[in-house]
């Protein structure tokens, strides 16, 4: 049935209808037995990825790099990091993806390079070198006794000052991350021209788009002012006010965007340190010609204390999640922007361990029974993928992988962020302060990036779960003694791909169904609007997606309403369906769908929808979706 809608016509785009699978190359699959995942390993699992039902594959960086920050420190933008493979392997990867109708998205890391990049080696060699101005150099400040001090008080994201002194020239260079990751000077047109050349080079090779690392940091306030003191316990302060979304950001993004547009390429920019959606809209507004979508961090920061060390304890609460989700969903929909949807990536703890409400109300260490773990993975899949936006699934999320075990000690961690954090902590509390250290370790096991970096669990085979491909593990020269570069999760016998593929009831099988539902009712789930049904409940999250049908504007929209019901708690809850008095007829619409619609997805059999009694009874971590399509 057609209706005369006053809503603006929907703006279709292939990248809105797609979903993305992220691969962390070092931890995906090792084909040659050196303990490090590689491109041939990825190629061997393309059918696994295709079968999940995603459309795009994004690989974290594979370019040449000393690996101080796992490839986010690039020393040559035209070569592959040898342990990952060769340029030929990349060609074969692209071919294999395209043959399956999948697209390839590459990680573009150009806010900074490695200090081993030829440009930086030139730049640091002398202030007169032509490459000097490719990076950001400043004269020292001096303290009372004449010792050089950094030009301002900015803190690096990996701890310490964001400036390192080059003793030879007595100038500091800026690095918002490790000192081995000097920031490029995007205000220099030669730098931008070179970035454009890199982008075209890879697009011409067949790459379909880019995930662009910390893209909102490329334009800094030219005055480089001191940051306000937001954490008085620290010497170095958060300077993001002066480098996140700086004055020239959108000029530079438009230049990039015009190249991307030529190729109809996909783009997702990573944008930490922004909470104002209006700011992000400038980059993703449909007609702005900048990026397709952006990763913001508000949801991922939900269990970080505000303006303080992220490794201090802070509770996850559902009302906060609802508020944040609703804020971004509504804003982007109402303003022709677009959301990138994610709750996991290579920089985050696993979502099952972080974003569910344990029965016993303790957050760490998180214990969860296998049955509840499956349900939790499924519930979170439903939560994520049916929102308005493009869903991103991080390797292992589709298997319900969880955080590292409580047995992990500091020696098990590999990530520079954690190792630096630990070192600072030990310097600050030198007397082997067990309380502080134990607390930090607990928080590392909850939020550190290494939680997401343990190897993929392909099967139950000992000792490496098929991560190191069996033929090579047996034949490699050290007699199979090679270990993965980072510890494997002990639970691989139970939790692995071989057990889940083909099992509808597994987390993997469920993800496949969620992505199928999103496609089957695409107009509702991709283009529909979003409404929060019940803001107050501390355990249950219910949202509604709706679109009016019609072909008045020639778009043939299939209208309908969907209600997504999610119990984030590990216990049984009676959810009270809102009454008619609830905002704008929301309660009425929801009841109509629950009563007359069709359950299209659920992680339990036989939903207990008792609208007559004004309630829905939800079992632990239950999720289901009801659709009422127009004309049905
Ligand atoms: C991004 C990456 C992260 C990296 C940082 C510096 O946040 O996702 O892994 O450490 O940028 O490049
Ligand atoms: Ca390898």
């Amino acid at each position: 049935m057609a209706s005369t809608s006053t809503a603006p016509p929907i703006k279709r785009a292939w990248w809105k209808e797609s979903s993305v699978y992220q691969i962390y190359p070092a931890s995906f699959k090792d084909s040659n037995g050196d303990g490090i995942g590689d491109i041939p390993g990825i190629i061997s699992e393309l059918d696994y990825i295709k079968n999940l039902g995603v459309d795009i594959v994004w690989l974290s960086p594979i370019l040449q790099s000393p690996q101080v920050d796992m490839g986010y420190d690039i020393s040559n933008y035209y070569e592959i990091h040898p342990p990952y493979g060769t340029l030929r392997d990349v060609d074969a990867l692209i071919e294999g993806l395209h043959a399956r109708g999948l697209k390839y998205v590459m990680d573009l890391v150009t806010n900074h390079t490695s200090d081993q990049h030829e440009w930086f080696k030139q730049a640091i060699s002398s202030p007169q070198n032509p490459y000097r101005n490719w990076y950001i150099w400043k004269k020292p400040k001096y303290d009372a006794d004449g010792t050089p001090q950094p030009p301002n008080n900015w803190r690096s994201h990996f701890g310490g000052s964001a400036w390192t002194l080059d003793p030879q020239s007595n100038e500091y260079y800026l690095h918002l991350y490790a000192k081995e990751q000097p920031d490029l000077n995007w205000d220099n047109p030669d730098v931008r021209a070179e970035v454009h050349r890199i982008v075209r080079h890879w697009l011409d090779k067949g790459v379909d788009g880019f995930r662009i690392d910390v893209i909102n940091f490329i334009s800094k306030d030219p005055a480089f002012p001191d940051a306000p003191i937001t954490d008085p316990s620290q010497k170095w302060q958060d300077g993001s006010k002066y480098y996140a979304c700086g004055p020239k950001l959108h000029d530079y993004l438009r230049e990039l965007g015009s190249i991307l547009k030529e190729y109809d390429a996909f783009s997702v920019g990573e944008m930490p340190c922004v909470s104002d959606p209006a700011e992000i809209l400038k980059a993703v507004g449909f007609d702005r010609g900048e990026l397709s979508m952006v990763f913001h961090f508000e949801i991922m920061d939900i269990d970080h204390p505000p303006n303080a060390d992220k490794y201090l304890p802070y509770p996850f609460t559902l009302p906060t999640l609802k508020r944040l989700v609703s804020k971004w969903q509504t804003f982007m929909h109402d303003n022709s922007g677009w959301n990138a949807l994610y709750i996991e990536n290579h920089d985050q703890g696993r979502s099952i361990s972080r974003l569910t409400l344990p029965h016993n109300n303790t957050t760490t260490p998180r214990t969860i029974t296998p049955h509840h773990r499956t349900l939790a993975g499924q519930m979170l899949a439903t939560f994520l993928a049916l929102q308005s936006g493009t869903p991103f699934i991080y390797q292992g999320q589709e298997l319900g992988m969880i955080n590292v075990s409580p047995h992990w000690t500091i020696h098990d961690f590999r990530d520079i962020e954690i190792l630096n954090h630990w070192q600072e902590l030990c310097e600050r509390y030198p007397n082997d302060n067990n309380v502080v250290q134990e607390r930090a370790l607990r928080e590392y096991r909850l939020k550190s990036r290494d939680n997401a970096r343990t190897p993929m669990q392909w099967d139950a085979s000992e000792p490496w779960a098929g991560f190191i491909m069996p033929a090579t593990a047996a034949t490699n020269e050290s007699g199979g003694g090679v270990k993965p570069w980072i510890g494997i999760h002990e639970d691989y016998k139970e939790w692995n791909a071989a057990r889940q593929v083909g099992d509808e009831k597994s987390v993997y099988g469920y993800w496949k169904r969620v992505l199928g539902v999103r496609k089957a009712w695409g107009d509702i789930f991709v283009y529909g609007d979003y409404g929060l049904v019940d803001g107050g409940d501390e355990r249950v999250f219910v949202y509604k997606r709706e679109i009016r049908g019609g072909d008045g504007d020639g778009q043939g929209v299939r209208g309908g309403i969907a209600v997504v019901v999610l119990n984030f708690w590990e216990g049984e809850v009676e959810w009270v369906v809102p009454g008619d008095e609830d905002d704008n007829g929301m309660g009425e619409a929801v009841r109509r769908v629950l009563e007359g619609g069709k359950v299209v997805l659920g992680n339990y059999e036989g939903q207990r929808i008792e609208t007559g009694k004004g309630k829905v009874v939800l079992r632990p971590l239950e999720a289901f979706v009801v659709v009422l399509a127009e004309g049905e």
Side-chain angles (χ1 to χ4, degrees):
M1 90 192 139
S3 61
T4 44
S5 161
T6 51
I10 60 177
K11 295 176 173 160
R12 293 191 188 272
W14 65 267
W15 40 264
K16 293 185 176 178
E17 296 174 12
S18 301
S19 57
V20 185
Y21 186 79
Q22 183 192 352
I23 291 182
Y24 198 61
S27 302
F28 193 68
K29 193 155 191 174
D30 173 18
S31 73
N32 63 348
D34 63 356
I36 304 169
D38 46 50
I39 299 165
I42 296 170
I43 294 173
S44 73
E45 292 295 352
L46 293 182
D47 288 334
Y48 168 87
I49 297 167
K50 173 71 185 173
N51 179 55
L52 186 60
V54 295
D55 310 281
I56 297 173
V57 176
W58 150 34
L59 260 64
S60 278
I62 53 171
L63 301 183
Q64 188 182 297
S65 159
Q67 304 285 323
V68 167
D69 184 22
M70 294 301 294
Y72 285 90
D73 49 324
I74 293 172
S75 53
N76 185 327
Y77 289 91
Y78 300 96
E79 297 291 340
I80 305 302
H81 178 54
Y84 289 160
T86 62
L87 286 165
R88 269 224 196 115
D89 292 329
V90 175
D91 290 338
L93 171 69
I94 295 177
E95 234 181 85
L97 288 166
H98 288 173
R100 289 167 179 82
L102 296 168
K103 292 188 188 282
Y104 174 40
V105 163
M106 172 176 162
D107 217 309
L108 183 68
V109 189
T110 48
N111 171 68
H112 44 266
T113 68
S114 160
D115 65 342
Q116 298 306 305
H117 196 293
E118 189 53 35
W119 307 332
F120 189 73
K121 289 189 188 167
Q122 294 279 335
I124 201 167
S125 71
S126 136
Q128 280 72 47
N129 188 283
Y131 283 95
R132 185 72 167 186
N133 193 32
W134 280 47
Y135 295 86
I136 298 169
W137 302 89
K138 293 277 173 262
K139 300 241 176 298
K141 281 181 176 169
Y142 290 95
D143 64 12
D145 57 7
T147 320
Q149 290 295 324
N152 69 25
N153 67 352
W154 296 0
R155 179 178 167 82
S156 143
H157 288 267
F158 292 155
S161 167
W163 299 90
T164 288
L165 183 67
D166 162 37
Q168 192 189 304
S169 63
N170 198 36
E171 287 184 350
Y172 282 87
Y173 66 87
L174 178 71
H175 52 88
L176 295 178
Y177 290 87
K179 67 178 190 318
E180 296 87 352
Q181 292 167 296
D183 278 54
L184 280 166
N185 175 16
W186 274 66
D187 294 334
N188 178 346
D190 293 343
V191 168
R192 302 202 303 279
E194 177 57 28
V195 171
H196 299 160
R197 194 162 85 91
I198 294 166
V199 165
R200 284 186 186 279
H201 170 84
W202 287 103
L203 288 169
D204 289 337
K205 269 182 86 62
V207 162
D208 300 293
F210 300 93
R211 176 269 187 190
I212 315 178
D213 196 59
V214 293
I215 188 62
N216 60 327
F217 291 177
I218 57 178
S219 167
K220 283 91 175 167
D221 183 327
F224 291 87
D226 270 333
I229 296 177
T230 45
D231 183 354
S233 73
Q234 297 286 334
K235 177 163 183 198
W236 309 112
Q237 300 292 321
D238 172 12
S240 59
K241 181 171 172 200
Y242 299 114
Y243 62 73
C245 305
K248 294 279 175 54
L249 175 65
H250 299 288
D251 298 340
Y252 300 160
L253 283 181
R254 264 193 304 277
E255 291 177 359
L256 260 184
S258 73
I259 302 175
L260 297 170
K261 194 167 173 198
E262 264 178 57
Y263 291 78
D264 191 21
F266 175 95
S267 57
V268 54
E270 186 200 26
M271 291 207 178
C273 311
V274 202
S275 57
D276 179 4
E279 194 55 51
I280 286 187
L281 185 69
K282 292 181 196 157
V284 302
F286 197 75
D287 301 318
R288 295 271 304 178
E290 299 187 19
L291 303 174
S292 321
M293 64 195 84
V294 153
F295 296 126
H296 69 78
F297 278 67
E298 267 211 310
I299 293 172
M300 289 295 88
D301 291 348
I302 199 164
D303 53 3
H304 301 183
N307 299 325
D309 178 359
K310 86 181 226 202
Y311 293 112
L312 288 171
Y314 197 73
F316 159 63
T317 71
L318 195 59
T320 311
L321 182 67
K322 292 191 208 181
R323 180 172 57 75
L324 296 175
V325 166
S326 303
K327 162 179 161 180
W328 289 90
Q329 287 285 297
T330 309
F331 187 90
M332 287 300 170
H333 186 271
D334 292 353
N335 295 285
S336 294
W338 195 246
N339 283 297
L341 306 170
Y342 76 105
I343 45 176
E344 286 192 22
N345 63 31
H346 63 293
D347 293 333
Q348 302 293 337
R350 294 286 186 179
S351 56
I352 294 177
S353 308
R354 255 179 106 185
L355 302 180
T356 53
L357 301 166
H359 196 258
N360 59 10
N361 271 333
T362 57
T363 45
T364 44
R366 177 81 167 89
T367 49
I368 187 162
T369 64
H371 179 54
H372 280 182
R373 177 168 160 188
T374 297
L375 293 166
Q378 296 169 332
M379 185 277 290
L380 289 168
T382 320
F383 159 72
L384 185 72
L386 300 179
Q387 291 174 43
S388 163
T390 299
F392 286 70
I393 302 149
Y394 177 69
Q395 67 178 50
Q397 185 176 359
E398 78 281 14
L399 299 175
M401 282 178 68
I402 56 171
N403 278 353
V404 301
S405 85
H407 310 302
W408 266 46
T409 71
I410 192 62
H411 306 292
D412 296 307
F413 288 91
R414 297 284 174 271
D415 180 18
I416 180 171
E417 183 193 73
I418 287 302
L419 301 180
N420 287 356
H421 187 276
W422 181 256
Q423 197 187 335
E424 275 189 15
L425 192 84
C426 295
E427 282 163 9
R428 238 171 122 191
Y429 303 96
N431 302 323
D432 194 24
N433 183 323
N434 276 324
V435 178
V436 175
Q437 297 193 354
E438 275 310 313
R439 183 181 69 193
L441 277 169
R442 270 201 309 275
E443 295 299 310
Y444 297 169
R445 294 186 207 109
L446 185 65
K447 299 177 234 173
S448 93
R449 313 196 300 177
D450 279 338
N451 287 296
R453 299 177 180 185
T454 65
M456 270 289 277
Q457 297 165 198
W458 291 104
D459 55 42
S461 67
E462 287 180 7
W464 310 125
F467 165 67
I468 301 182
M469 282 167 77
T472 51
T475 54
N476 81 40
E477 283 173 10
S478 48
V482 171
K483 288 186 178 164
W485 70 277
I486 190 169
I488 199 154
H489 204 293
E490 299 82 334
D491 65 13
Y492 68 89
K493 296 229 159 154
E494 299 277 317
W495 297 89
N496 60 62
R499 266 182 88 144
Q500 295 195 28
V501 176
D503 174 5
E504 268 229 339
K505 295 202 149 71
S506 67
V507 182
Y508 180 98
Y510 190 90
W511 259 110
K512 213 172 133 85
R513 284 162 59 204
V514 177
L515 295 176
V517 163
R518 181 174 182 271
K519 283 232 151 79
W521 283 274
D523 286 348
I524 300 176
F525 290 116
V526 177
Y527 296 105
D529 65 13
Y530 162 96
L532 176 65
V533 173
D534 179 347
D537 198 296
E538 291 187 359
R539 295 167 182 181
V540 179
F541 193 158
V542 181
Y543 65 81
K544 173 173 90 62
R545 304 293 315 280
E546 178 168 10
I547 194 162
R548 297 258 200 101
D551 46 15
D553 53 8
Q555 295 189 86
V557 175
R558 277 176 65 206
I561 311 183
V563 173
V564 178
V565 182
L566 310 156
N567 179 9
F568 274 69
W569 192 48
E570 254 189 296
E572 188 170 296
V573 191
E574 278 192 9
W575 175 60
V576 179
V577 182
D580 289 342
E581 69 286 358
D582 277 58
D583 22 51
N584 305 324
M586 176 77 86
E588 188 274 326
V590 168
R591 274 210 319 281
R592 190 152 45 83
V593 177
L594 291 178
E595 281 160 16
K598 177 166 135 197
V599 177
V600 298
L601 187 70
N603 61 354
Y604 281 87
E605 302 291 323
Q607 288 69 26
R608 291 176 56 189
I609 302 170
E610 300 169 10
T611 37
K613 296 184 193 150
K615 67 179 184 185
V616 172
V617 182
L618 293 165
R619 289 154 287 186
L621 301 159
E622 178 159 10
F624 66 84
V625 181
V626 189
V627 172
L628 184 61
E630 277 177 18
E632 275 181 19

